[in-house]
Amino acid sequence: MSFSLTVKNELCRLENKDNCCLTSELAAAVRINGAAVVIGNGDANLRITTENAAFARRVYTQIKKCCGILPEVIIRKSKRLKKHVSYILVITSSLGSGRLLDNLGTGIEATGTEVSTELVFLNKNKLKKHCCRKAFLRGAFLAGGSVSDPEKTYHLEITSHSYKQAQDISRILETFKLNARIIRRKGSYVTYLKEGENIVDFLNIIGAHSALMELENVRILKGMRNSVNRIVNCETANLEKTVNASVRQVENIKYLMEKKGFSGLPDSLREMAELRLAYSDASLMELGQMLNPVLGKSGVNHRLRKLDKIAEYEREIRGED
Ligand SMILES: [Zn+2]
């Protein structure tokens, strides 16, 4: 099951305790999934279309609770894709579409007759309460939302018919300190959120608490994987540095041995050079432990650097690189 569907299934099991929230959630769903066919005198038949069966049931029940209307239900199967099913709830003018829209504070800004038009008007007074704004966002997500699988990426979006609808959603999100962006995609407007933290906040607002926990678990695991990778990368880099240094030291010591032998070196450096040749894989600390008296890491480093310098000097005076 996709993460989107997990979230939507959870939301469809939530109950709106207050009537105010029920109508706010329904208003969002009707605006996004609804279309009106104007039949004159300002009357319109209303159709609400969704592919999610649980959501269709929820909208049906909400319309019934909100104003006692029982919508007609049409189930349409796609001819090409057999599994593709659309649920259409129809509320004709005679069933009381006008009453429903009034109750929802949503209306039609129709310019002509016999046109299919989106539901643009929204009564802002209905969304003054905190609880109702949350419910509105829940309805908007159920109707036009999707969220990426958090294992892959953090992206949540709600698709609307018009820029105004997208902007309304974005403004409501702002009241929860969430900054959404809007893009145009194939004639629709998409309000979207990025970043795990914002998506966690959004799921919290709309009441998808189990999905939120699931997302948080993924975030924690991802964070752990990243820090393990960082440590491994860091260790690999250090190891490479140590190996490169050892290769250079051994080359220099061999060069000195070949060109002038160790006889001219002070005892401390000769001893160091011999040890390095014998144990090219040993760390500075390990080399120090082999000396008598034991020498610390920085002491060993100091002696090896001196050997490097002498070799460089020898190469210079011999005009070799
Ligand atoms: Zn409310």
Side-chain angles (χ1 to χ4, degrees), residues 25-262:
E25 188 190 311
L26 187 55
V30 168
R31 285 183 98 215
I32 290 177
N33 282 167
V37 179
V38 179
I39 52 170
N41 314 329
D43 281 349
N45 292 337
L46 193 64
R47 299 161 73 91
I48 302 153
T49 311
T50 175
E51 287 166 14
N52 184 322
F55 180 51
R57 270 196 301 276
R58 184 172 177 87
V59 171
Y60 184 95
T61 314
Q62 286 179 341
I63 291 172
K64 188 178 152 198
K65 274 189 191 162
C66 164
C67 41
I69 296 170
L70 299 178
E72 278 172 40
V73 183
I74 300 170
I75 298 171
R76 188 169 288 166
K77 281 183 187 154
S78 158
K79 278 177 191 140
R80 271 186 296 168
L81 302 155
K82 282 267 155 56
K83 279 182 193 163
H84 208 76
V85 182
S86 291
Y87 302 88
I88 307 164
L89 307 184
V90 183
I91 303 112
T92 57
S93 173
S94 54
L95 269 178
S97 58
R99 187 156 40 100
L100 174 65
L101 291 177
D102 277 351
N103 276 356
L104 300 183
T106 306
I108 306 158
E109 273 177 7
T111 45
T113 52
E114 293 295 334
V115 284
S116 176
T117 177
E118 53 173 285
L119 304 155
V120 275
F121 174 69
L122 176 75
N123 185 348
K124 293 273 166 27
N125 287 333
K126 293 253 182 199
L127 294 177
K128 275 203 170 142
K129 283 160 76 182
H130 191 72
C131 60
C132 293
R133 288 201 303 274
K134 285 181 168 185
F136 186 89
L137 290 175
R138 177 160 61 243
F141 183 81
L142 279 166
S146 72
V147 55
S148 302
D149 180 349
E151 283 280 0
K152 289 176 192 140
T153 179
Y154 299 124
H155 179 92
L156 184 144
E157 63 178 45
I158 299 171
T159 306
S160 317
H161 299 300
S162 69
Y163 183 69
K164 188 173 178 306
Q165 285 190 351
Q167 215 178 18
D168 283 340
I169 293 168
S170 160
R171 286 198 182 127
I172 294 168
L173 284 169
E174 252 170 55
T175 69
F176 293 99
K177 298 196 166 56
L178 283 172
N179 285 316
R181 297 223 175 129
I182 299 172
I183 44 157
R184 224 194 139 143
R185 190 195 293 150
K186 292 183 202 154
S188 297
Y189 291 85
V190 180
T191 311
Y192 69 93
L193 290 171
K194 288 271 175 201
E195 288 173 39
E197 217 172 298
N198 292 333
I199 293 166
V200 164
D201 284 352
F202 183 84
L203 294 178
N204 187 30
I205 290 163
I206 63 174
H209 297 121
S210 308
L212 184 157
M213 291 308 290
E214 204 178 313
L215 189 140
E216 281 291 31
N217 284 340
V218 173
R219 281 181 83 203
I220 290 166
L221 282 177
K222 265 181 154 180
M224 268 161 60
R225 275 203 295 268
N226 284 344
S227 61
V228 167
N229 283 342
R230 257 198 305 279
I231 292 167
V232 169
N233 287 344
C234 190
E235 278 178 353
T236 312
N238 278 341
L239 193 66
E240 258 172 42
K241 241 162 73 187
T242 312
V243 170
N244 288 343
S246 167
V247 168
R248 187 195 64 231
Q249 288 153 5
V250 169
E251 262 175 22
N252 281 341
I253 291 164
K254 279 185 179 163
Y255 178 83
L256 282 180
M257 195 166 71
E258 199 184 297
K259 296 294 175 187
K260 51 182 270 176
F262 290 162

